[in-house]
Amino acid sequence: MKKETICRQRSCHWIATTVLSLFTLFPAYAQRQSQTINDSWKFLREECPAAADSAFDDHSWTDIHLPHTWNTDAYTEKDYYRGTGWYRRTLRLPQEWQGKQLFLKLEAASKAATLYVNGREVGSHAGGYTACTFDLTEYLHTDAPNTLSVRVDNARQDVAPISADFTFFGGIYRDVWLTAVPKQHFHLTNLGSDGIFISTPQVSEEQGTVSVRGEVRNDDRKKASLEVMTRLYAPDGTLLQTRKKKIQLKAEETLAFEQELLPVSHPMLWTPETPHIYKVETTLLDAKSKQVLDHTEHPTAFRWYRFDGAQGFFLNGKPYKLRGICRHQDQKPIGVALTDEMHRRDMKLMKEMGANFIRISHYPQDDAIIEMCDKLGMLAWEEIPVIDIVPDTPEYAENCERNLREMIRQHYNHPSIITWGYMNEILLVAQRKHKGDALKPVLERTLALARRLENALKQEDPTRISAMAFHGSNSYNETGLSQITDIVGWNLYQGWYGGDVTGFEKFLAEQHRNYPAHPMIVSEYGAGSDRRLHTLAPRAFDFSIEYQQKYLEHYLPVLEETPYVCGGTHWNFIDFSSALRDESMPRINNKGLVYADRTPKDVYYYYKAAWRSDIPVLHIASRDWTRRSGVQQEGKPVMLPVKVYSNCPEVELFIDGTSVGKKKTENFTALFEVPFLRKEPFLSAHATYQGKPVTDGLRVGFTPIPDRLDKTNLNGLELAVNVGSHCFFTSDESHLTWVPDQPYTPGSWGHLGGKEAGTQTEIGLTTDGPLFQTLRNGLEGYRFDVPQGVYEVELLFTDIYRRNSSTAYLLGREGQQENRENTFRITINGKTVEDALSPCRTSGYFRALRKKYIVDNDTDHLEIKFHARSGNSFLNGIKIRHRN
Ligand code: GCB
Ligand code: CA
């Protein structure tokens, strides 16, 4: 009993201090009070209906703060948790809030949330990327603690997205706000928006007009005489004009208002280079006492634009290329629970790179992102996540339409936004899953939904244009989908998922020929890259850093130089979470220009060199390749390419102070063949930008691998070969580089026979996946010409030849499929070391297996031979080490 009293007293004290600090935060005139309630939540990752009850005991739950996601498992598990999670919190309100209207805003809870206050259900929201606001006035009390319970569900099949190449992180992963306002206030439960909508009906260089519309709500039981006052401020803060309007509200009435401001002459136009933001202040006053009741501030700006099928995009009447990127919102290892400053950091990085356009893909993102678009000058396309296929699920279309309206209302006031989008590659999975007649109903409902969303979009916002993104298939034209929106976006991957990079410009040319009036954007293009993989001969899908560069160096000039293409948005700004993906970095789509931790990849500087002309860019593109290696012939230097990205006309490169030569930059690159000999050479680049010298420099590591092995070079050497691959692979864990494979030549080392093969499937039981994903199939052997001595020979295997998926894991299934699996005898210098090795039986399909053998060699070579007993022999990697 006594203990309880003490606690109560403490909490009284706590309330007193919070109330105090809360009030000092707000200037006297601002009657609207908002604060986050992100702290001190309890969380449980399972279904628990009893948790809605205010008396429920949650002391055993996990303590968390928001933003929060329960899906950090998506970085390790394909089958990440999709289900229900519960959040609970106690909420104490200051006495002074008695009599106010109280609102709770969830900026995002994925995919759907139901809110309970003090045991009563308040309402629900379906949609994981838009905000919703609940009026809690009826539910909360100021004289005792309140309980909030939120049930969140990321398994819902009626809420978009239901299929896509990214993780559907669950949780309350953006801010939660509590707002108190007087009984008369701007309407706060307008689809998560704050109920004020600003537009610029007319803009030219000579003058611009601003129009404000909104709704005022009277929650009082008596009528109210009010005044709406709108003020417009110039970018430098000067008050330009004040407009007032009297309104009368009945008891419990919501009333719309509209105010046209006087034209602003010669407005400062908003462009990415000069993002001039005007401010609109809307204040609600008591008509008599002039007491301020509510107050909001919004950005606005003067700009106009159009898309043209023949000539591309125009901003403020001038041709303007959209230089863009697409952006996902997660960050390994924290998922989507990013703080605002993390979002802002991304925007700064994109701006720094020279981008002027962002496709906010594939869903509405944090307000911090949109705010930065306005401030930094980034034109924006924002969209809802209707992706891959339209399901035949009741409520799905309904939810999509509401999410679209929410997005538009919530971000309507941001001048950076020029395009609303609502479908991405909507026929991709539809066409894979359904063929012939079975496809017809799917197409019908897709078209019906597209028309419905297009109508809703134009109803909500006739001032902006609509867009969809398609994959590279003509079916979007044939079905009529491409005729529904104002512009079309093409997601093109020629030279990645198939074909050759030149297929890119061919596709664009063909589309333009057939639909010359239709404005288009390349809404995606990209190639994967893995910092551990490097090559002198890049190929599609090898995930080397070099292929991504090569691919983008082809695409970007096409985008820049094709006048009818409005612009492009590179896929993707970041290496993002896609739990279902395998490839070189399972769970990650690695097409980013920056790594998950936002360290720029070298190719980021290619864009920067191409897009920034206002500052010098000189970047030795070897930050991604700092542990270099190469096969060395008799002490001669190893020639390796070093690329420099620059916007300077000419670059000179040095290694350890010796010039390698001067090169004119072409397509913002200068490529040098550089002699590597010393262990840690220093590379430096010199150029001139507008008459002033510019330099860049870095030290890289270099480990030569001898072509001929003898007593002088064997000591301490680990000769590791990435068998079956043209790529260097450097392990993140050991830092050892496995060099590309080569055929055996007398006096040297290499494979005997066989053919290159590989897989994109994830490899289990290793973190060095790519090393095991490539192999030589049907090889006879591997040979190293080496002096006598004791050696360690290590063989790496992974059987990728699974016949059917039911044999995913063969351990414990001995004797069932003898004739169908790959079993081989292995000899080293004629001695059998494995009589019948079956990698799949030993380790399982798609799982790594490593075997070491000690060989006392009294000949002039090590020869490892493979004799297939059933199926084929193969080898994924090999390493030899001289023991003494
Ligand atoms: C696409 C999709 C995007 C994927 C991307 C890829 O076309 O629109 O969601 O992540 O391709 O990397 O495959
Ligand atoms: Ca390999």
Side-chain angles (χ1 to χ4, degrees), residues 236-529:
D236 68 357
T238 318
L239 175 63
L240 296 178
Q241 50 177 302
T242 305
R243 307 285 286 173
K244 292 178 184 169
K245 186 172 198 160
K246 291 231 154 53
I247 51 169
Q248 307 288 332
L249 271 88
K250 294 190 202 112
E252 293 178 340
E253 190 189 13
T254 307
L255 202 72
F257 71 90
E258 194 158 351
Q259 268 177 333
E260 292 278 337
L261 303 191
L262 297 171
V264 175
S265 80
H266 295 99
M268 298 177 78
L269 298 182
W270 185 95
T271 71
E273 294 71 34
T274 56
H276 298 304
I277 300 286
Y278 287 68
K279 186 171 83 180
V280 175
E281 218 179 69
T282 344
T283 310
L284 187 68
L285 306 107
D286 182 280
K288 247 204 208 131
S289 69
K290 302 291 177 202
Q291 195 204 339
V292 173
L293 299 168
D294 200 3
H295 177 88
T296 67
E297 292 183 1
H298 292 102
T300 193
F302 298 102
R303 89 282 183 271
W304 73 98
Y305 62 94
R306 75 185 164 93
F307 289 84
D308 185 280
Q311 297 170 58
F313 180 70
F314 288 77
L315 181 64
N316 301 333
K318 298 182 190 98
Y320 199 88
K321 190 63 92 176
L322 294 171
R323 297 170 160 173
I325 51 262
C326 301
R327 188 238 184 201
H328 263 303
Q329 65 178 0
D330 75 292
Q331 179 168 343
K332 190 179 176 180
I334 57 174
V336 289
L338 272 65
T339 57
D340 290 349
E341 63 266 26
M342 292 177 181
H343 293 297
R344 288 195 282 268
R345 172 222 33 211
D346 283 2
M347 294 307 301
K348 289 182 206 155
L349 278 168
M350 292 176 210
K351 179 72 183 176
E352 173 68 22
M353 190 174 87
N356 59 25
F357 184 46
I358 175 175
R359 178 175 171 217
I360 301 170
S361 50
H362 285 308
Y363 39 77
Q365 295 188 15
D366 201 289
D367 290 345
I369 288 286
I370 327 292
E371 181 197 325
M372 288 304 269
C373 287
D374 294 346
K375 289 192 169 149
L376 295 176
M378 291 276 270
L379 293 150
W381 152 336
E382 191 171 28
E383 65 193 29
I384 55 163
V386 184
I387 303 171
D388 286 351
I389 183 168
V390 175
D392 188 13
T393 310
E395 308 295 328
Y396 179 82
E398 193 70 38
N399 286 329
C400 289
E401 182 184 329
R402 208 196 40 266
N403 290 162
L404 179 74
R405 290 184 188 273
E406 287 169 339
M407 170 179 76
I408 297 176
R409 288 194 205 175
Q410 289 168 23
H411 291 156
Y412 184 91
N413 293 332
H414 294 278
S416 51
I417 294 180
I418 54 173
T419 304
W420 302 117
Y422 52 78
M423 278 182 179
N424 181 69
E425 305 193 344
I426 201 65
L427 298 181
L428 184 80
V429 170
Q431 287 168 336
R432 273 188 206 155
K433 261 196 181 164
H434 306 280
K435 307 268 174 213
D437 279 354
L439 184 60
K440 277 191 191 144
V442 188
L443 292 180
E444 272 161 31
R445 62 174 184 262
T446 305
L447 279 157
L449 180 59
R451 292 197 185 102
R452 176 174 176 174
L453 294 177
E454 180 70 18
N455 283 340
L457 187 153
K458 291 296 172 179
Q459 229 177 49
E460 290 289 331
D461 189 356
T463 74
R464 291 181 170 100
I465 61 128
S466 60
M468 281 193 241
F470 304 140
H471 72 281
S473 151
N474 210 38
S475 52
Y476 295 95
N477 295 316
E478 289 152 10
T479 52
L481 271 167
S482 67
Q483 305 305 309
I484 294 177
T485 46
D486 298 321
I487 62 165
V488 299
W490 288 107
N491 300 346
L492 301 176
Y493 290 92
Q494 288 86 353
W496 183 249
Y497 289 120
D500 171 70
V501 282
T502 58
F504 175 54
E505 51 268 33
K506 287 179 194 141
F507 184 92
L508 293 173
E510 190 190 317
Q511 286 301 321
H512 183 58
R513 215 171 25 249
N514 296 340
Y515 305 91
H518 222 159
M520 57 174 148
I521 288 186
V522 177
S523 39
E524 288 181 26
Y525 63 100
S529 72

Side-chain angles (χ1 to χ4, degrees), residues 721-725 757 769-776 796 875-877:
V721 187
N722 184 3
V723 177
S725 174
L771 179 59
F772 293 89
Q773 283 173 324
T774 52
L775 54 91
R776 268 195 101 71
L796 279 59
L875 180 67
N876 303 57

Side-chain angles (χ1 to χ4, degrees), residues 66-99:
L66 306 178
H68 172 261
T69 176
W70 62 64
N71 280 125
T72 50
D73 58 347
Y75 294 111
T76 49
E77 314 296 318
K78 229 178 219 190
D79 194 15
Y80 61 101
Y81 180 77
R82 263 163 290 178
T84 311
W86 281 83
Y87 295 83
R88 292 185 99 252
R89 184 196 199 275
T90 304
L91 178 66
R92 293 178 176 86
L93 299 177
Q95 266 307 317
E96 284 76 0
W97 282 16
Q98 175 68 42

